[in-house]
Amino acid sequence: MSKTNGRMILNLMLHNAGSHRGAWRHASTKVEEIHDIKHFQRLAQKAEAARIDSLFLADGLSVEVKAVQHGPIFGFEPLTLLSAIAAVTENIGLIATMSTSFNEPYNVARLFASLDHISGGRAGWNMVTTGVQRTAHNFGMEQLPSHSHRYARAQEFADVVLKLWDSWEEDALVQDKVSGIYANANKVHDIHHQGTYFTVRGALNIMRPPQGRPILVQAGASDEGKNLAARYAELIFTVQHTIEEARLFYQDVKARTAKEGRSPGSIKILPGLHVIVGATEAEAREKASELSELGSIERSVMSLSNLLGIDFSVYGLDDPFPELPESTQVNAYQTFYQMVLNIVQREQLTLREFLTKHWIGNGQLCIAGTAEQIADVMEEWYTTGAADGFSVMPQLSFGGVEDFLDLVVPELQRRGLFPESYTGRTLRENLGL
Amino acid sequence: MSKTNGRMILNLMLHNAGSHRGAWRHASTKVEEIHDIKHFQRLAQKAEAARIDSLFLADGLSVEVKAVQHGPIFGFEPLTLLSAIAAVTENIGLIATMSTSFNEPYNVARLFASLDHISGGRAGWNMVTTGVQRTAHNFGMEQLPSHSHRYARAQEFADVVLKLWDSWEEDALVQDKVSGIYANANKVHDIHHQGTYFTVRGALNIMRPPQGRPILVQAGASDEGKNLAARYAELIFTVQHTIEEARLFYQDVKARTAKEGRSPGSIKILPGLHVIVGATEAEAREKASELSELGSIERSVMSLSNLLGIDFSVYGLDDPFPELPESTQVNAYQTFYQMVLNIVQREQLTLREFLTKHWIGNGQLCIAGTAEQIADVMEEWYTTGAADGFSVMPQLSFGGVEDFLDLVVPELQRRGLFPESYTGRTLRENLGL
C-alpha cells in the first residue's frame, strides 16, 4: 500500500516519568519535576525542535487508590495541559484523549475548538470510550455501559461534535465596523440534532476552528472500534504485538475505510512503540534491565486487571496464566483482551512470566537498542504495510525522550523516512490530511 | 466593617473587544486581534505588571444565532484560555466560570485542580448555575430546571468538588525511589459521595491542588445564591446599581456568612464596575458618547431578554417599560431581574430609555471619568461598606484596559488602597484568604 507523502508520522506520547512503570525510580529521573508543568513544556519544545508531528496524552477518569503507591498517576487534565504547552510551542500537534462515555458533546466540541484556536490549528481529539468499571462509579453509574452501548454512543457523539464544529461556516465573520455587522448570522447554524443518546439544538458558541475540524483519532481495535475509526478517524493509535498482527490490522482498517467511501490514505495507522535507546546495544539492554528491576509486579497485575476487566490478583503469580472468558463476557478493552489472548494461546506462560515478558508496555512493541536498530524496525514496519508511523513512548522521560529525538529521529531523516521541517500551517496540513 | 489587609481587591474581567457591546466598532479596536490568543496573553501580562489580583472569564454554553451579527461572542473556553495565560504569567490569579448545571463534578474538580497545578496555585472557580433557557437545549433538556432545583444541584455540586479536592491529603506523596513507595495510599481517599444529584465514589485522579482548594467564587444574588455564597464562596462577583443597594447586599452576605459559622472577612465582595478612563473628564465623556453611538439596541434587547428569561423584542422600544411578572415566575437570573425591577419602579422609562441609560453594563455601576474621579468612587464604595474590591470591566479592551492599569491603579496605590506588589505564592495567599 503506498505511503501518502512518502514519509512516516511520528507522534510522541507524553508521560511524566516514562512509559515504563518503574521509570520514576530510575537514576535519571528527577522525581521533584515529575508533576511540574515546565517539565512537560520542555519535553514539548524538544519534540518540536526535532519536528515530531504531534504530542499525545492518554487519559482516564478515575484512580485506583491502592495503585498510587506504585508510581505516579498522570494527573494533569489533557486539554488544560496542552493549552499550557500550546503557549510555548508553534508547530507541534496537540492530541488529547477525551472520553465519549462521561462527557457531553457540546462541552467536548467546544474544548477542542478552543484548543484549536489557542494553538492556531494544532488540536486533535482521541475519541475513546471508557472501559474501566471503576470509572462508572465516579459518574453516578453502578455498572459501566456495555461495549456495544459505549460504541453506539461514541458514534453519535462524534457525529454531534462534527456538526458543532461545522455550525459556523468558514466565512461567517464579517467584522465590518462601518455597517456594524460582526458576523453573517445566515452562516451560523443551529444543528438541531436529535438522536438516540443526544439532543443538541444549538450552534457552537465558538467560531469555526482554524483546522475546520480538529484531527480525529481513534484507538479501539474491536469490530465496533474499527468501524468507528473507518467512518471518522484520521489517525489510529493501535496496540500491536507483532509485525504480522500489525499488517493484518492495517489491511483490515484500510479496507473498512475504503468501504466507508473514504480514501485509505486518509487514515493513518500508528502502532504504539516503546523505546529505550542506547549509544550501544549493550547500553540499551543495560537500561532495560535496570528498568525491569524497578517495576512493581503488583502494579502490573492491576494494570492487566483494569484493561481486561478481570481481577488477576486472585491468581498465583507462578501458576499457569488463567483461562480467559469468552470475549463477549469481557466488558473492558477488546484491544487488550484480544492481544493477551493471542499471546497466551501461542505461548505457555505463568502469570509472572507473561507480565515480565509481555506486559512492560501493556503488550505493545518494545525495542531496546541503538538508533540504527530501532530505525531498522520502524523502517520495516513502515515499508511493509504494518504502519504509517508510530506513537512513540520512550520508557524514560528524563533523558529517554531526548535520546529518541537526538539519535533515532535524525537516523530516520538520513534514511529519507521522516521530514526535516514543518511545512504546513496546521497539524492537518503537516500530516498531509 | 473592617477591611482584611486594609486594601481592596481588584479583579479584571477579560473581554475580547471590551465590556461595551459596541467596543468592537470603536476606532481603537483592532478587529483582526479580537480572537487572537496573543491579545489575551498581552492583556494578562499587562494586568500582572500592574499587580491586579486576578483575571476573570464569564461564560455561557450556548449562542443565539441572530446575536452574532451584532458583535463578537467570547469564544474561548475559559479553562483552556486560562491555561494558555498561565504559561505566560507568574502571579496573577486565574478565575474561570463553569456551570454546575451542565457539567459533572468529577470533571470540574479535575479541570480546576489541573489549572491550579499548571499555574502553581492561581486557580479560582466561579460556580454558577445556568439561567438561559436556550442552553438547556444543548444538553438534551426541553426545559431549563427551576431556579431552586439548579441551586440545590449547585450546592451538592460544590460539596462534591470540595470532597474531591480534599481526597488527596497534603503529604500523600512520598516519592521514595529506594523503597519503591510513590505515594501513601492511606492518604488518598475514595469519597463515597451519595447525594440527591450525584453519586461519586472515587478519589480525584490528580493530586491535591497547590492551593489545597482553588478559590471559590459565586455570583448569584437570589436568596439561594446568597446562601450558597455564605456557605462556600470566598469571592462574590455582584451586580450593584447604586452604593445604597451595594451596602445592603454587603451587609446581608456578611451576616449570612457569619450565620454559617464563617468569619465575615473570609468572604470578599466585589461589585462589577464598568470603566472608561480619560486624561480629562471631557475625554472620558467623549469616549463614552462614541461608544453609545456604536452599540446595537437590538443586541441590548436580546441581552435583557436572555438574562431575565422574558422576550422583550415583542414590546415597542418607545412604549413604557413593560410590566414585569412576579419573581417566582421568572426562571432566569434573579440578580438581574431584581435590579431591573428596582430601576423601573424608581424611574418612569421607556424600554429604549432604560436600555440606553441603564443597560450599557447590564445595569452595573459604570463610570466615565478621570483616574481621580474613578478612584474617588471606588474609595467611597470601599471605605463605606459597599465593597471589598471590584470586578473591573473596561469598556474598551484595546487601550481601555491599559488606561485603567496605567492611570487608575497607581492612583489607588498612591492613596494606600491597593498594594504595590504580590507578596504571596498563590492566589489564596495574595488575597489574604
Side-chain angles (χ1 to χ4, degrees):
Chain A
M1 218 159 280
S2 83
K3 304 290 156 183
T4 323
N5 299 340
R7 61 93 171 177
M8 68 171 66
I9 290 168
L10 291 181
N11 172 70
L12 179 70
M13 187 157 167
L14 286 180
H15 286 95
N16 29 30
S19 70
H20 193 284
R21 290 190 196 95
W24 71 274
R25 298 179 69 189
H26 193 266
S28 63
T29 300
K30 298 176 184 163
V31 283
E32 68 282 7
E33 293 181 14
I34 280 180
H35 303 290
D36 186 342
I37 178 72
K38 292 200 169 59
H39 165 53
F40 294 95
Q41 288 172 327
R42 273 193 299 266
L43 291 177
Q45 288 172 325
K46 284 174 187 165
E48 181 167 87
R51 204 236 160 265
I52 294 296
D53 288 285
S54 52
L55 300 170
F56 166 57
L57 294 173
D59 199 40
L61 296 171
S62 64
V63 65
E64 191 173 7
V65 166
K66 68 181 184 207
V68 304
Q69 64 185 300
H70 298 291
I73 59 166
F74 188 74
F76 290 106
E77 182 284 327
L79 271 290
T80 47
L81 178 59
L82 290 180
S83 297
I85 286 175
V88 299
T89 54
E90 292 287 331
N91 293 294
I92 198 162
L94 306 165
I95 301 175
T97 299
M98 190 163 255
S99 172
T100 56
S101 305
F102 300 109
N103 284 291
E104 288 282 338
Y106 199 88
N107 292 335
V108 169
R110 185 174 181 225
L111 280 162
F112 282 92
S114 189
L115 177 62
D116 208 45
H117 279 283
I118 286 168
S119 64
R122 296 186 277 142
W125 171 36
N126 180 26
M127 45 171 177
V128 299
T129 67
T130 297
V132 177
Q133 171 62 38
R134 185 181 52 248
T135 306
H137 302 154
N138 293 340
F139 294 87
M141 291 180 201
E142 203 41 57
Q143 284 297 321
L144 192 68
S146 71
H147 188 272
S148 62
H149 176 286
R150 297 199 307 270
Y151 270 91
R153 179 181 160 107
Q155 171 141 333
E156 190 182 328
F157 198 115
D159 203 34
V160 177
V161 167
L162 288 170
K163 286 181 186 176
L164 286 166
W165 286 338
D166 288 339
S167 63
W168 286 65
E169 293 184 38
E170 218 165 308
D171 55 351
L173 277 202
V174 179
Q175 297 187 312
D176 182 6
K177 284 185 177 183
V178 179
S179 67
I181 303 291
Y182 193 80
N184 183 343
N186 295 322
K187 299 197 171 184
V188 181
H189 310 283
D190 285 339
I191 67 168
H192 296 287
H193 176 87
Q194 293 211 349
T196 308
Y197 297 94
F198 305 107
T199 303
V200 180
R201 190 183 298 173
L204 196 57
N205 62 345
I206 178 168
M207 298 177 307
R208 190 176 187 79
Q211 292 184 103
R213 295 171 167 193
I215 298 295
L216 286 182
V217 184
Q218 215 281 328
S222 65
D223 241 31
E224 289 97 330
K226 284 185 280 198
N227 287 339
L228 183 67
R231 185 147 171 194
Y232 295 107
E234 300 169 280
L235 297 181
I236 308 281
F237 295 157
T238 175
V239 171
Q240 298 297 331
H241 195 63
T242 66
I243 193 167
E244 294 77 19
E245 285 165 12
R247 282 194 197 116
L248 290 175
F249 177 84
Y250 189 97
Q251 287 158 15
D252 184 9
V253 170
K254 297 271 174 169
R256 287 177 200 243
T257 305
K259 232 184 243 167
E260 287 283 342
R262 297 173 61 200
S263 147
S266 67
I267 193 164
K268 309 290 189 187
I269 298 174
L270 313 183
L273 170 61
H274 292 254
V275 291
I276 305 180
V277 192
T280 62
E281 186 177 340
E283 189 189 300
R285 293 206 175 279
E286 171 65 23
K287 279 192 215 171
S289 134
E290 286 165 11
L291 279 173
S292 71
E293 295 292 309
L294 298 172
S296 147
I297 194 103
E298 298 101 295
R299 186 67 190 79
S300 291
V301 173
M302 287 182 215
S303 144
L304 184 66
S305 302
N306 274 332
L307 292 175
L308 267 59
I310 296 165
D311 182 4
F312 285 93
S313 71
V314 301
Y315 300 108
L317 282 167
D318 297 306
D319 292 336
F321 196 96
E323 199 163 330
L324 290 171
E326 291 295 307
S327 81
T328 50
Q329 292 183 269
V330 173
N331 187 22
Y333 293 100
Q334 291 291 330
T335 309
F336 289 100
Y337 169 84
Q338 202 52 57
M339 190 187 52
V340 172
L341 190 69
N342 289 346
I343 295 171
V344 298
Q345 283 178 345
R346 204 161 46 213
E347 307 176 40
Q348 296 296 320
L349 297 164
T350 64
L351 182 51
R352 188 192 301 276
E353 284 165 346
F354 171 83
L355 291 169
T356 49
K357 187 170 173 197
H358 294 298
W359 203 244
I360 294 167
N362 295 346
Q364 294 177 87
L365 180 63
C366 183
I367 324 172
T370 63
E372 291 71 24
Q373 289 172 324
I374 292 169
D376 285 348
V377 175
M378 293 172 79
E379 182 167 1
E380 189 191 2
W381 281 52
Y382 175 66
T383 56
T384 64
D388 293 315
F390 298 89
S391 193
V392 179
M393 291 169 271
Q395 294 218 323
L396 289 166
S397 289
F398 292 84
V401 169
E402 274 141 300
D403 287 342
F404 180 82
L405 299 173
D406 293 347
L407 302 172
V408 182
V409 172
E411 178 62 26
L412 295 168
Q413 288 168 331
R414 266 190 294 279
R415 298 182 188 192
L417 294 167
F418 190 67
E420 312 247 336
S421 59
Y422 298 103
T423 48
R425 203 178 40 90
T426 64
L427 174 59
R428 181 171 292 284
E429 288 173 11
N430 279 317
L431 293 174
L433 286 167
Chain B
M1 217 160 279
S2 82
K3 305 289 157 184
T4 322
N5 299 340
R7 61 91 171 180
M8 67 172 64
I9 289 168
L10 292 181
N11 171 69
L12 178 71
M13 188 158 166
L14 287 179
H15 286 96
N16 29 30
S19 70
H20 192 286
R21 291 193 196 93
W24 72 273
R25 298 178 67 189
H26 193 266
S28 64
T29 300
K30 297 175 183 164
V31 283
E32 69 282 8
E33 294 181 14
I34 280 181
H35 303 290
D36 186 341
I37 179 70
K38 292 201 168 57
H39 165 52
F40 293 95
Q41 290 172 326
R42 272 193 300 266
L43 291 176
Q45 288 171 324
K46 284 175 188 166
E48 182 167 85
R51 205 238 159 264
I52 293 297
D53 288 286
S54 52
L55 300 170
F56 166 57
L57 293 173
D59 199 41
L61 297 171
S62 64
V63 64
E64 191 172 8
V65 166
K66 69 180 185 214
V68 304
Q69 63 185 300
H70 298 290
I73 61 166
F74 187 76
F76 290 107
E77 183 283 327
L79 270 290
T80 46
L81 179 58
L82 290 179
S83 297
I85 287 175
V88 299
T89 54
E90 292 288 332
N91 294 293
I92 197 162
L94 306 165
I95 301 174
T97 299
M98 190 163 255
S99 172
T100 56
S101 306
F102 300 111
N103 284 290
E104 288 282 339
Y106 199 89
N107 292 335
V108 169
R110 184 172 182 227
L111 281 163
F112 282 92
S114 189
L115 177 62
D116 209 46
H117 279 284
I118 286 169
S119 64
R122 297 187 277 142
W125 172 36
N126 180 26
M127 44 171 178
V128 299
T129 67
T130 297
V132 177
Q133 171 61 40
R134 185 180 53 247
T135 306
H137 302 154
N138 293 341
F139 294 87
M141 292 180 200
E142 203 41 57
Q143 284 297 320
L144 192 67
S146 71
H147 188 272
S148 62
H149 176 287
R150 296 200 306 270
Y151 270 92
R153 179 181 161 106
Q155 171 142 333
E156 190 182 329
F157 198 115
D159 203 33
V160 177
V161 167
L162 288 171
K163 286 181 186 176
L164 287 167
W165 287 338
D166 288 340
S167 64
W168 286 65
E169 294 184 39
E170 220 165 306
D171 56 350
L173 277 203
V174 178
Q175 296 188 315
D176 181 6
K177 284 184 177 183
V178 180
S179 67
I181 304 291
Y182 193 79
N184 183 342
N186 295 322
K187 298 197 172 185
V188 181
H189 310 282
D190 284 340
I191 67 168
H192 296 287
H193 176 87
Q194 292 210 353
T196 308
Y197 297 95
F198 306 107
T199 302
V200 180
R201 190 182 299 175
L204 197 57
N205 62 344
I206 177 169
M207 296 177 309
R208 189 175 187 77
Q211 293 184 103
R213 296 171 167 192
I215 298 294
L216 287 183
V217 184
Q218 214 280 327
S222 66
D223 242 31
E224 290 97 330
K226 284 185 280 198
N227 287 338
L228 183 67
R231 185 147 173 195
Y232 296 107
E234 301 170 279
L235 297 181
I236 308 281
F237 295 157
T238 175
V239 171
Q240 299 297 331
H241 195 62
T242 66
I243 192 168
E244 293 78 19
E245 286 165 12
R247 282 193 198 119
L248 290 175
F249 177 83
Y250 188 98
Q251 287 157 14
D252 184 10
V253 171
K254 297 271 174 169
R256 288 178 200 243
T257 304
K259 232 183 245 168
E260 288 283 343
R262 297 173 61 200
S263 147
S266 68
I267 192 164
K268 309 290 188 185
I269 298 175
L270 314 182
L273 170 62
H274 292 254
V275 291
I276 304 180
V277 191
T280 62
E281 186 177 341
E283 190 189 300
R285 293 206 175 281
E286 171 66 22
K287 278 191 213 169
S289 139
E290 285 165 12
L291 279 173
S292 70
E293 296 290 308
L294 298 172
S296 147
I297 194 101
E298 297 103 295
R299 185 66 190 78
S300 292
V301 172
M302 287 181 214
S303 144
L304 183 66
S305 302
N306 274 330
L307 291 174
L308 267 58
I310 296 164
D311 182 4
F312 285 93
S313 71
V314 301
Y315 301 107
L317 282 168
D318 297 308
D319 292 336
F321 196 96
E323 198 165 329
L324 290 171
E326 292 295 308
S327 81
T328 49
Q329 291 183 270
V330 173
N331 187 23
Y333 292 99
Q334 291 290 331
T335 309
F336 290 100
Y337 169 83
Q338 201 53 55
M339 191 188 49
V340 172
L341 190 68
N342 289 347
I343 295 171
V344 299
Q345 282 177 345
R346 204 162 45 216
E347 306 175 40
Q348 296 295 321
L349 298 164
T350 64
L351 181 53
R352 186 192 301 277
E353 284 164 348
F354 171 84
L355 291 169
T356 49
K357 188 170 170 196
H358 294 298
W359 204 244
I360 293 167
N362 293 346
Q364 293 177 87
L365 181 63
C366 183
I367 324 172
T370 63
E372 291 72 23
Q373 289 172 324
I374 292 170
D376 285 348
V377 175
M378 294 172 81
E379 182 167 0
E380 188 192 2
W381 281 53
Y382 174 66
T383 55
T384 64
D388 293 316
F390 297 90
S391 193
V392 179
M393 291 169 270
Q395 295 219 323
L396 289 166
S397 289
F398 292 84
V401 169
E402 274 142 302
D403 287 342
F404 180 82
L405 299 173
D406 293 347
L407 302 172
V408 182
V409 172
E411 177 61 26
L412 295 168
Q413 289 168 331
R414 266 192 294 278
R415 297 182 187 193
L417 294 167
F418 190 68
E420 312 246 337
S421 59
Y422 298 103
T423 50
R425 202 179 41 91
T426 64
L427 174 58
R428 181 170 291 285
E429 289 173 11
N430 279 317
L431 293 173
L433 284 167

